[in-house]
Amino acid sequence: MFSILVNILANATWTQNGVTIAGGNGSGNATNQLSQPFGLFVDDDQTVVIADYRNHRIMQWKNGDTTNGQVVAGGKGQGNGLHQLKWPIDVLIDKETDSLIICDYGNQRVVRWSRRSGTTQGEILIDNIGYYGLAMDEQRYLYVSDVGKHEVRRYLLGEKNGTIVVGGNGIGGGLNQLKAPTYLFVDRQKNVYVSDTNNHRVMKWNKGAKEGIVVDGGQGAGSALTQLYYPRGTFVDALGTLYVADTSNHRVMRWTQGAKQGTVIVGGNGQGAGANQFNNPMDLSFDQHGNLYVADRSNDRVQRFSIEKDS
Ligand SMILES: *[C@@H]1O[C@H](CO)[C@@H](O)[C@H](O)[C@H]1NC(C)=O
Ligand SMILES: *[C@@H]1O[C@H](CO)[C@@H](O)[C@H](O)[C@H]1NC(C)=O
Ligand SMILES: *[C@@H]1O[C@H](CO)[C@@H](O)[C@H](O)[C@H]1NC(C)=O
């Protein structure tokens, strides 16, 4: 996702016990619940929007909301009407138009919903492929990963076909290939970082490159510090340090530039529902202070970890 440039010291630490800021009341569709949160996005004012996958809706929690969130898109049951979503998997806020851009995975489309109150339906931006992750660069080009075609395309808003910027060379483990790409991040130079989930690695494709660089993992599935196990959400800070939701290892990893191995910054305490545990963390982001937010899918909650040391 395109986000604020966040300054985090390379040796920063976070509280090991997360605080539940959304959901955490069991799986359900009440406004204090989530059912399998996937992608999330944190705005400048610490508002968090969440793709509430199994509830076919997007939830918003404003900083300071205690237990109840607000349904800001969908929530009208599973379906393909313009007022509905089906398994939304990622979301971002487009500040320019004050709207949500949503990957409506089950409907194989990307839709836009205005954030103005009273909005009851969205509009289709692009459709017909197996979209997964979304990101936007500063020029408001939209980047969308296609988990079925093993590529990432870049779209000028309003454009239907887009341009392949990552992959597009079939499924595989080569440096110019991907195997089920999911969440992605685009930096200020328009370099694209993408979780190459089924290759258990994160790839960086410099702008215009014909092949990528393995920046994390790529040593097979596993739990060593050199490995990832179905990685998903990615984030890159101002120093170029990469953070990854290492889903099946139930941990969040940090890779400083050029490092030979990562470090576990939170989680890694087994699969579970404790405050220092995750059960399939899917996506992550940071606010401008460096606090970490993680969509903890199978615990039906979003956790926040406060940064302990920063400039
Ligand atoms: C919902 O979860 C939050 C966070 O864990 C908790 O503070 C709150 O008491 C719960 N509310 C209910 C009704 O269970
Ligand atoms: C919410 O969940 C209840 C209980 O499972 C169900 O009856 C209801 O239809 C759901 N509401 C929506 C909008 O999906
Ligand atoms: C877009 O893609 C469709 C399907 O592949 C193709 O028929 C069409 O010509 C393309 N349009 C442009 C403008 O490239």
Side-chain angles (χ1 to χ4, degrees):
M1 70 207 68
F2 160 55
S3 272
I4 43 180
L5 201 55
V6 182
N7 288 294
I8 298 173
L9 292 179
N11 62 351
T13 56
W14 287 263
T15 52
Q16 294 301 294
N17 286 333
V19 171
T20 301
I21 57 130
N25 298 303
S27 177
N29 64 18
T31 53
N32 69 349
Q33 294 178 307
L34 295 167
S35 186
Q36 304 233 345
F38 273 63
L40 58 72
F41 182 90
V42 182
D43 203 4
D44 296 354
D45 63 359
Q46 296 175 297
T47 295
V48 182
V49 289
I50 303 158
D52 190 7
Y53 185 83
R54 290 263 307 269
N55 282 330
H56 315 292
R57 66 185 185 181
I58 304 297
M59 293 297 289
Q60 171 174 286
W61 260 266
K62 288 215 158 111
N63 187 24
D65 285 351
T66 45
T67 43
N68 292 305
Q70 189 190 348
V71 181
V72 288
K76 302 287 185 202
Q78 162 184 335
N80 66 4
L82 288 177
H83 65 299
Q84 293 175 308
L85 300 170
K86 183 179 177 186
W87 307 323
I89 210 159
D90 202 9
V91 59
L92 60 79
I93 294 175
D94 175 22
K95 291 184 185 54
E96 191 81 10
T97 55
D98 196 26
S99 56
L100 300 168
I101 296 181
I102 301 161
C103 180
D104 187 9
Y105 179 75
N107 286 321
Q108 301 202 322
R109 65 189 185 184
V110 176
V111 295
R112 175 162 61 192
W113 283 60
S114 168
R115 295 179 76 207
R116 276 189 293 277
S117 63
T119 299
T120 54
Q121 64 174 48
E123 57 173 318
I124 297 171
L125 289 180
I126 32 181
D127 57 11
N128 264 324
I129 51 168
Y131 305 116
Y132 200 109
L134 298 171
M136 197 179 247
D137 69 21
E138 284 178 85
Q139 273 71 48
R140 297 179 61 242
Y141 278 92
L142 188 65
Y143 297 71
V144 189
S145 65
D146 187 324
V147 71
K149 286 195 187 134
H150 315 286
E151 65 191 26
V152 176
R153 282 179 187 255
R154 186 186 65 204
Y155 297 83
L156 189 58
L157 286 177
E159 188 188 8
K160 291 292 173 200
N161 285 11
T163 306
I164 295 175
V165 291
V166 175
N169 298 303
I171 184 171
L175 290 177
N176 67 350
Q177 293 179 308
L178 300 167
K179 194 172 177 187
T182 59
Y183 294 114
L184 64 155
F185 186 94
V186 179
D187 70 14
R188 302 264 149 161
Q189 289 73 44
K190 302 188 178 17
N191 305 316
V192 181
Y193 294 79
V194 59
S195 264
D196 186 11
T197 299
N198 291 4
N199 280 323
H200 310 287
R201 64 185 186 181
V202 177
M203 299 298 289
K204 177 184 182 185
W205 281 55
N206 290 317
K207 183 171 188 272
K210 295 275 172 275
E211 63 176 34
I213 302 159
V214 180
V215 286
D216 189 351
Q219 309 289 324
S223 62
L225 294 176
T226 53
Q227 294 176 305
L228 295 168
Y229 193 11
Y230 295 113
R232 296 249 177 33
T234 60
F235 188 95
V236 179
D237 70 16
L239 287 178
T241 300
L242 172 73
Y243 302 86
V244 184
D246 189 8
T247 304
S248 297
N249 282 324
H250 313 288
R251 65 187 185 183
V252 174
M253 299 293 289
R254 164 173 62 197
W255 282 64
T256 52
Q257 266 193 26
K260 296 272 182 294
Q261 61 177 44
T263 52
V264 179
I265 61 164
V266 292
N269 299 308
Q271 178 174 16
N276 68 350
Q277 293 179 307
F278 296 114
N279 193 346
N280 296 311
M282 297 299 282
D283 197 11
L284 55 76
S285 194
F286 290 85
D287 64 26
Q288 55 193 328
H289 308 291
N291 302 308
L292 168 66
Y293 299 72
V294 181
D296 188 12
R297 172 182 167 184
S298 305
N299 284 325
D300 306 300
R301 67 186 183 183
V302 172
Q303 298 288 86
R304 176 166 57 201
F305 298 85
S306 301
I307 190 164
E308 293 180 315
K309 248 191 287 176
D310 204 357
S311 44

